[in-house]
């Protein structure tokens, strides 16, 4: 299944709509110029190598900001 964005109106879909379609249909629509392939946020996880996934994030030298305590005024 691939996510495509339609480049023209084709009932029941309108130009600019994003839909998930089977791979064969997506390839045909893209080849005909009726749609373009959309990248998903989940595609990034598949393109990473095993080495990139296993590396921990580098620790930043910046300390987290700690909030100051909130003080209320005394009402008279």
């Amino acid at each position: 299944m691939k996510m495509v964005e339609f480049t023209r109106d084709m009932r029941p879909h309108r130009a600019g709509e994003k839909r998930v379609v089977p791979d064969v249909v997506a390839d045909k629509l893209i080849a005909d110029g009726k749609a373009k392939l959309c990248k998903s946020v989940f595609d990034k996880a598949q393109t990473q190598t095993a080495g990139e996934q296993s590396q921990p994030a580098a620790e930043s030298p910046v300390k987290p900001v700690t909030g100051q305590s909130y003080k209320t005024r005394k009402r008279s």
Side-chain angles (χ1 to χ4, degrees):
M1 300 294 275
K2 293 182 182 177
M3 181 179 284
V4 296
E5 180 179 347
F6 290 92
T7 56
R8 55 176 258 185
D9 289 343
M10 296 182 347
R11 286 189 182 158
H13 309 292
R14 296 194 157 250
E17 283 187 6
K18 296 177 183 175
R19 299 284 183 201
V20 177
V21 295
D23 293 341
V24 176
V25 175
D27 294 337
K28 176 79 171 140
L29 290 170
I30 292 168
D32 292 343
K34 297 177 182 176
K36 61 182 181 178
L37 185 64
C38 288
K39 296 276 183 181
S40 173
V41 293
F42 300 107
D43 291 341
K44 184 178 178 183
Q46 295 174 354
T47 59
Q48 289 181 343
T49 62
E52 291 175 352
Q53 291 176 353
S54 63
Q55 293 177 353
E59 293 184 24
S60 64
V62 179
K63 294 182 181 179
V65 178
T66 56
Q68 297 177 354
S69 61
Y70 182 75
K71 296 181 181 178
T72 58
R73 291 188 305 174
K74 183 177 180 181
R75 292 188 174 196
S76 47

